[in-house]
Amino acid sequence: MLRTVAVRAERWPLSTPFRISRGVKTAADVVAVTLVQDGRQGRGEGVPYARYGETIESVLEQVNSLSTELANGMTRADLAGRLGPGAARNAIDCALWDLEARLAGRAVADTLGQPPLHPLVSALTVSLDTPQAMGEAAARMTGVTLIKVKVDRKNPAACLEAVRATAPDAALIVDPNESWTIETLAQLQPVLRDLKVALIEQPLSADEDSDLLGFESCAPICADESCHVSADLPGLKDRYQVVNIKLDKTGGLTEALDLLTEARRMGFGVMVGCMVSSSMSIAPAFHVARHADFVDLDGPTWIADDYAGGAVQRGAELLPPEALWGVPDTATPETEA
């Protein structure tokens, strides 16, 4: 066979709990894929998401179902025809991109006709808590210029006001994670306007998108759970003004780049986000995020002990991972998965 294939579940404990309207996380549970060919190693990571019916077990099963084809030389084009978008395809697609870069001795940025990656202004997230705790969390974000605030339907105004009080100059993204109704969104417009919220991310459930038709919002509304791949875009017109591209939704960097191109062609603004994950997930996302209007790649900042050389937040900017993914090997090639 051409390659060896390894897939495993990994758990990355968080330094502090991460709360949103759907629940709380204390660890990032991911599926890691490693492909080895001609002494070169390509890696990718996917984050199974229960909202989309995924589990660690289901994603492992999906990857393992393609192990023979992967070992025999499956390409990214082959993969797109064999597996739908989601965490499994993301892990494999990104591992293939990484392997291609290392075999060719050419960075992914070069392949895409782009200069080397550079730091990006990225949001840091204030997870859902009491208004006082959320205000205190925002106060600790020294130098941060973009803050994402997780809220639910219970007391969003008080939570947002507490964050704004301790972060008076930062741009705010509010993310209810589908927990609002159109009535809630309408009622909160004066507060959102007064607090100068820059973006409202997926306020309603994805199956209630039609309620947004004709709604005039004080800030752009961004589709997250409602937007996975480029084929979703026509149904989002006149409802959303921005789309959130996440590689675990698109099924990898390949489709994420296609979604970016089509979103721009259709006049959508672009946000690039992530799940709570290690820097192995964030490294490929940088290649899309460099073209985005809003960047939210703080997943690894929640990890207690991330990869060495992983993404690092310094003030307002997130520094890209160093030699972790998608670049030519600079050391002795790996020979085992």
Side-chain angles (χ1 to χ4, degrees), residues 131 151-152 154-163 180 188 191-192 195:
V151 296
D152 58 15
K154 293 177 183 178
N155 201 5
C159 295
L160 289 167
E161 288 165 351
V163 170
W180 291 357
L188 286 169
V191 173
L192 299 172
L195 297 179

Side-chain angles (χ1 to χ4, degrees), residues 14-176:
L14 306 189
S15 56
T16 187
F18 182 84
R19 295 181 180 88
I20 66 171
S21 62
R22 280 192 287 269
V24 59
K25 293 174 71 76
T26 58
D29 292 297
V30 309
V31 170
V33 171
T34 303
L35 307 174
V36 177
Q37 178 179 335
D38 296 338
R40 302 290 175 174
Q41 176 177 269
R43 296 182 293 176
E45 178 179 288
V47 184
Y49 203 47
R51 170 65 178 81
Y52 308 133
E54 296 176 324
T55 64
I56 288 288
E57 291 74 21
S58 70
V59 171
L60 287 171
E61 182 178 354
Q62 284 181 297
V63 175
N64 284 323
S65 72
L66 298 178
S67 60
T68 299
E69 291 169 77
L70 284 166
N72 287 330
M74 171 181 269
T75 65
R76 289 185 288 110
D78 297 332
L79 174 65
R82 294 284 287 112
L83 201 59
R89 193 173 81 184
N90 180 31
I92 298 171
D93 180 82
C94 290
L96 286 167
W97 273 99
D98 189 27
L99 182 62
E100 290 166 18
R102 296 180 190 279
L103 287 171
R106 187 182 188 198
V108 168
D110 291 336
T111 300
L112 296 174
Q114 299 290 328
L117 292 175
H118 55 80
L120 299 173
V121 173
S122 177
L124 284 183
T125 301
V126 174
S127 73
L128 182 61
D129 209 321
T130 65
Q132 179 179 348
M134 293 175 72
E136 292 170 352
R140 293 191 292 270
M141 294 178 176
T142 306
V144 173
T145 58
L146 181 62
I147 296 176
K148 182 170 178 175
V149 187
K150 294 287 190 179
V151 296
D152 58 15
R153 201 187 303 182
K154 293 177 183 178
N155 201 5
C159 295
L160 289 167
E161 288 165 351
V163 170
R164 174 55 82 205
T166 58
D169 299 321
L172 299 183
I173 300 170
V174 55
D175 186 6

Side-chain angles (χ1 to χ4, degrees), residues 309-324:
V312 176
Q313 187 84 23
R314 288 186 183 167
E317 292 187 325
L318 186 69
L319 280 62
E322 298 177 0
L324 183 65

Side-chain angles (χ1 to χ4, degrees), residues 8 58 91 107 124 132-133 139 143 196 199 205 210 229 235 269 272 300 303-304 308 312:
R8 64 185 180 276
S58 70
L124 284 183
Q132 179 179 348
K196 299 180 181 178
L199 191 69
S205 174
S210 60
V229 294
V272 172
I303 301 293
V312 176

